[in-house]
Amino acid sequence: METSFKPVSFLFLAFLFLPNFFFFFCIGLSELHCIDTERHALLKFKEDLIDPSNRLSSWIAHGDCCQWLGVVCHNLTAHVHQLHLGTFYPEGGFASYEQYEAYERSMFGGKLNPSLLDLKHLNYFDLSFNNFSASSIPSFLGSMKSLTSLNLSNARFVGLIPHQLGNLSNLHYLNLHGYRPDDLYVNNLEWLFGLPLLQHLDMSYVNLSKASDWLQLTNTLPSLFDLRLSYCQLRSIPPTSNVNFSSLLTIDLSRNQFENTLIPSWIFGLRNLVSLDLSYNNFQGPIPVDLQNMTSLSHLGLSGNNFNSSIPNWLYSFSHLEFLNLHSNNLQGTISNAIENLTSAISIDLSGNELGGKLPRSLGNLCNLREISLSSNKWSQEISEILESLSGCLSDRLEILNLDSSQLHGQLTDELGVFKNLVQLSFQNNLISGPLPVCLGKLSSLRILNLGKNQFNGTLPQNLGQLSKLEELRISSNMLKGVVSEVHFVNLTSLRILYAPGNQLTLKASQNWIPPFQLGALSLQSWNLGPKFPQWLCSQRRMLSLDISYTQISDMAPLSFWNLSSQFRYLNLSHNLISGEIPNSPVMLSASAIDLSSNHFKGLLETYLHGLGIDVQD
């Protein structure tokens, strides 16, 4: 009986899945491949590209271009619809110099071949973060009428932005963000009239000084919801009574240094805005009261102006605000306890003002906060009291804490250890005293630690050597004493900057020690490194800046030191008793600042260095 039911079951299942069976069968027989003319167009395009890391190795003559890196085809017609050829730029920056070098090497360069015009159905084109520095933006891009998204951001194009881009009437997204100011410029913006569907426009770092009617023209774009014109050398924000920006959600006019001293009133009428950035524009007076009606804001940037009022109480009621930046103004008074009402706040920057008094304990109730920058104010408070007020729900969430130049005093206690996710900690230029707490070595997420210009004493904790993610360590101008050994550096594989002059520390390392790091900058001025020349320096192949002056070295500098492959920009070996011959080294000749005085050097390079005004002996 059992066997007689098997065929029936099979037939039933086959019937049940018959539609899917025929679907996959048909797809298998008629699998779509890219269209020949479009494949040839892409291959011609590749010929004119510079591809140093061979990212386009999959683009081969007889391949299926729909399978090539960066190419997206329509799943029914097989026409090329999208080209994703941007170079990935990490949001948090680079974790190492090697990553930055790899990023630079991976950029496309060369020029754009007009064969792209054969991609009649291309609607998305991304060339962002590449290096076309020898090329201007080609005018033929204006003939690619099917484009809805064009991203040339930070692609290092130079010259005049072609007005032919105004022919792209289907464009929704246009990003022409320049790499450096003045690399790109326009004579006018009248071509914007041809882009009625545009929703996102970014022309930051483009010289728009000749486009005095920039507001009138951008105001004609009915669908615009994102406008970014930062660092565009705009001279003024014209007044207007007729604003059509009903869809606008984001506006960035930062770093233009406008002639206006007051924020124009039409901006306050943009009630739907979620992001407003007017930083570095020389606006003056109190923070405008009309801002209080813009309660939809999640980002407010007013840094680098001349607002001279206290922080208005109404600002604390912005419950949707995630990013608040009032850095570098002349704000006075205190921070109110009402700051706890900024319940959505992720980042608060009030540094560079004249604020004083004590930080309110309610600041510690902002459980979403990840970044606090309160440096260059007049808190005049014990550091332990501040840490205690922040140690509530922020203890396992806070990532950046900056209290530089804040007149802080007292001792740094082990309470700091509760902030387990700190990535950046900076207390530079205060009056903090006592020993460095051992808990510092337990902050395993730290990348930047800056405790310079304080009154720390005692020794350097050995467990600092466990901070494998640490990139910058700055402990200059303190009163630290004692011995630093290889243990202090054992796991510092990410360290790139070690800046520790002005202490009385002694480094004891074996002559064959090879550090786990490759430094770009090192300053150990006034340490005791001698009497032998520190051979481990010869392992540092990426050093750009080195200061080991006043370090009691009375030994010959080895040839391997002079042959360092890195190109010094700054070198200071002065006030030691280093001997030996200075070779005619291209490394030496490339440095922009050299001090070899108060040593016992000899060599053929002496005359040349003296001609540059560089002393090599007493």
Side-chain angles (χ1 to χ4, degrees):
M1 290 291 293
E2 221 175 292
T3 56
S4 65
F5 280 104
K6 283 185 179 178
V8 176
S9 301
F10 175 79
L11 288 173
F12 173 75
L13 290 173
F15 180 79
L16 183 65
F17 293 106
L18 194 59
N20 288 332
F21 174 80
F22 279 115
F23 174 78
F24 288 116
F25 179 76
C26 293
I27 289 295
L29 288 179
S30 58
E31 185 177 348
L32 294 171
H33 295 281
C34 75
I35 296 165
D36 282 346
T37 55
E38 296 186 355
R39 181 175 67 248
H40 292 310
L42 289 172
L43 290 172
K44 285 183 180 179
F45 170 67
K46 178 186 176 183
E47 287 177 2
D48 283 350
L49 281 185
I50 296 173
D51 181 11
S53 61
N54 201 22
R55 286 166 60 188
L56 301 185
S57 58
S58 61
W59 292 34
I60 55 178
H62 300 293
D64 178 5
C65 68
C66 292
Q67 305 299 319
W68 291 352
L69 179 75
V71 179
V72 177
C73 294
H74 192 278
N75 58 2
L76 295 178
T77 66
H79 283 299
V80 174
H81 267 211
Q82 300 181 9
L83 285 180
H84 297 258
L85 299 177
T87 301
F88 174 72
Y89 188 91
E91 186 176 344
F94 299 96
S96 67
Y97 187 78
E98 288 81 3
Q99 283 190 10
Y100 175 74
E101 281 192 325
Y103 161 74
E104 287 282 328
R105 286 195 304 270
S106 66
M107 290 179 177
F108 294 122
K111 61 181 182 179
L112 305 188
N113 192 297
S115 65
L116 288 172
L117 292 173
D118 289 333
L119 305 178
K120 304 292 186 184
H121 301 271
L122 189 70
N123 57 46
Y124 180 99
F125 191 23
D126 181 2
L127 273 179
S128 60
F129 292 94
N130 284 301
N131 188 359
F132 294 94
S133 57
S135 302
S136 57
I137 297 174
S139 58
F140 73 77
L141 289 179
S143 299
M144 301 178 70
K145 299 292 184 67
S146 59
L147 280 179
T148 59
S149 178
L150 177 61
N151 189 352
L152 304 180
S153 167
N154 289 279
R156 307 190 190 183
F157 286 106
V158 296
L160 178 68
I161 293 176
H163 64 85
Q164 287 88 349
L165 294 183
N167 296 327
L168 301 176
S169 56
N170 291 310
L171 212 57
H172 291 179
Y173 179 99
L174 178 60
N175 194 335
L176 300 174
H177 191 302
Y179 178 65
R180 293 174 301 199
D182 290 331
D183 276 359
L184 291 169
Y185 68 95
V186 299
N187 288 329
N188 60 71
L189 287 174
E190 293 178 2
W191 48 272
L192 288 177
F193 278 127
L195 309 178
L197 304 180
L198 201 62
Q199 298 175 355
H200 173 105
L201 175 62
D202 189 342
M203 296 185 70
S204 300
Y205 279 69
V206 175
N207 187 338
L208 302 182
S209 59
K210 294 182 179 179
S212 58
D213 53 354
W214 66 269
L215 178 58
Q216 175 188 348
L217 291 166
T218 54
N219 197 21
T220 64
L221 302 173
S223 302
L224 196 67
F225 66 78
D226 190 0
L227 176 62
R228 301 173 188 266
L229 301 177
S230 174
Y231 218 129
C232 289
Q233 302 183 45
L234 297 171
R235 297 174 183 174
S236 66
I237 307 180
T240 180
S241 57
N242 183 24
V243 176
N244 296 324
F245 289 132
S246 57
S247 302
L248 205 61
L249 299 177
T250 298
I251 185 167
D252 182 355
L253 298 174
S254 62
R255 298 181 182 273
N256 279 294
Q257 304 290 328
F258 292 116
E259 296 169 358
N260 311 62
T261 58
L262 300 176
I263 299 175
S265 59
W266 62 264
I267 288 181
F268 306 127
L270 304 175
R271 301 291 174 83
N272 295 324
L273 279 187
V274 297
S275 180
L276 173 64
D277 196 343
L278 298 174
S279 301
Y280 295 94
N281 281 316
N282 288 330
F283 294 123
Q284 300 176 10
I287 294 178
V289 68
D290 289 337
L291 271 172
Q292 66 181 316
N293 297 320
M294 305 180 74
T295 53
S296 296
L297 286 174
S298 62
H299 179 114
L300 177 59
L302 297 176
S303 61
N305 287 290
N306 290 304
F307 297 120
N308 57 9
S309 62
S310 59
I311 299 175
N313 286 329
W314 51 260
L315 187 56
Y316 297 121
S317 66
F318 278 33
S319 58
H320 298 295
L321 199 63
E322 296 179 352
F323 299 90
L324 174 62
N325 193 342
L326 298 175
H327 170 74
S328 298
N329 281 284
N330 293 310
L331 298 175
Q332 300 155 14
T334 61
I335 299 176
S336 166
N337 270 309
I339 198 170
E340 67 181 350
N341 294 323
L342 299 178
T343 53
S344 299
I346 295 173
S347 174
I348 295 177
D349 189 347
L350 301 176
S351 56
N353 285 289
E354 299 292 326
L355 298 169
K358 291 190 173 184
L359 294 178
R361 299 184 67 87
S362 60
L363 193 61
N365 296 331
L366 300 178
C367 298
N368 291 311
L369 208 55
R370 299 295 180 267
E371 303 179 10
I372 309 175
S373 187
L374 303 170
S375 62
S376 300
N377 282 289
K378 301 175 181 178
W379 305 120
S380 299
Q381 195 172 358
E382 286 205 17
I383 183 62
S384 59
E385 187 180 358
I386 292 176
L387 293 177
E388 183 185 356
S389 67
L390 297 175
S391 62
C393 59
L394 291 182
S395 59
D396 59 349
R397 304 182 186 188
L398 196 63
E399 297 176 3
I400 296 177
L401 177 57
N402 189 337
L403 284 164
D404 292 345
S405 305
S406 295
Q407 301 182 14
L408 303 178
H409 55 278
Q411 295 193 7
L412 199 56
T413 65
D414 279 332
E415 190 162 21
L416 179 63
V418 303
F419 299 96
K420 298 176 182 178
N421 287 319
L422 275 177
V423 174
Q424 181 176 331
L425 176 64
S426 192
F427 293 152
Q428 177 178 268
N429 195 27
N430 284 291
L431 298 171
I432 307 173
S433 58
L436 295 175
V438 175
C439 68
L440 280 171
K442 299 178 181 179
L443 301 177
S444 58
S445 296
L446 267 186
R447 292 186 178 181
I448 298 175
L449 177 60
N450 189 348
L451 303 176
K453 297 183 180 179
N454 278 285
Q455 298 176 0
F456 290 111
N457 55 36
T459 60
L460 202 63
Q462 283 190 351
N463 66 349
L464 283 180
Q466 300 302 315
L467 300 177
S468 59
K469 295 181 181 179
L470 195 65
E471 300 170 14
E472 295 185 23
L473 175 59
R474 298 175 185 266
I475 52 173
S476 63
S477 303
N478 280 287
M479 296 183 286
L480 298 171
K481 296 181 180 180
V483 173
V484 177
S485 68
E486 298 173 18
V487 177
H488 287 84
F489 304 104
V490 63
N491 285 324
L492 300 187
T493 54
S494 301
L495 196 65
R496 297 295 175 262
I497 296 175
L498 175 54
Y499 199 72
N503 291 287
Q504 298 178 40
L505 294 164
T506 298
L507 179 58
K508 289 190 176 179
S510 61
Q511 280 295 95
N512 60 356
W513 179 52
I514 299 178
F517 47 70
Q518 285 290 323
L519 296 176
L522 173 65
S523 178
L524 301 179
Q525 180 257 326
S526 81
W527 283 40
N528 181 358
L529 302 181
K532 293 289 187 180
F533 190 91
Q535 291 283 343
W536 60 270
L537 285 174
C538 303
S539 70
Q540 300 300 295
R541 302 295 180 183
R542 303 191 183 282
M543 193 84 74
L544 300 177
S545 175
L546 174 64
D547 185 348
I548 51 171
S549 58
Y550 296 92
T551 51
Q552 304 180 44
I553 301 173
S554 55
D555 190 20
M556 181 179 295
L559 183 61
S560 54
F561 172 75
W562 301 118
N563 288 340
L564 285 174
S565 60
S566 60
Q567 298 292 298
F568 284 116
R569 299 294 180 266
Y570 175 80
L571 177 63
N572 191 344
L573 306 181
S574 69
H575 295 88
N576 287 289
L577 296 173
I578 304 175
S579 58
E581 188 168 301
I582 303 175
N584 192 355
S585 167
V587 172
M588 293 291 299
L589 298 181
S590 68
S592 57
I594 305 174
D595 189 349
L596 307 180
S597 62
S598 299
N599 282 291
H600 294 305
F601 290 120
K602 296 179 180 179
L604 298 176
L605 198 59
E606 281 184 82
T607 304
Y608 182 83
L609 292 176
H610 277 301
L612 296 177
I614 299 170
D615 290 329
V616 294
Q617 293 184 357
D618 291 329

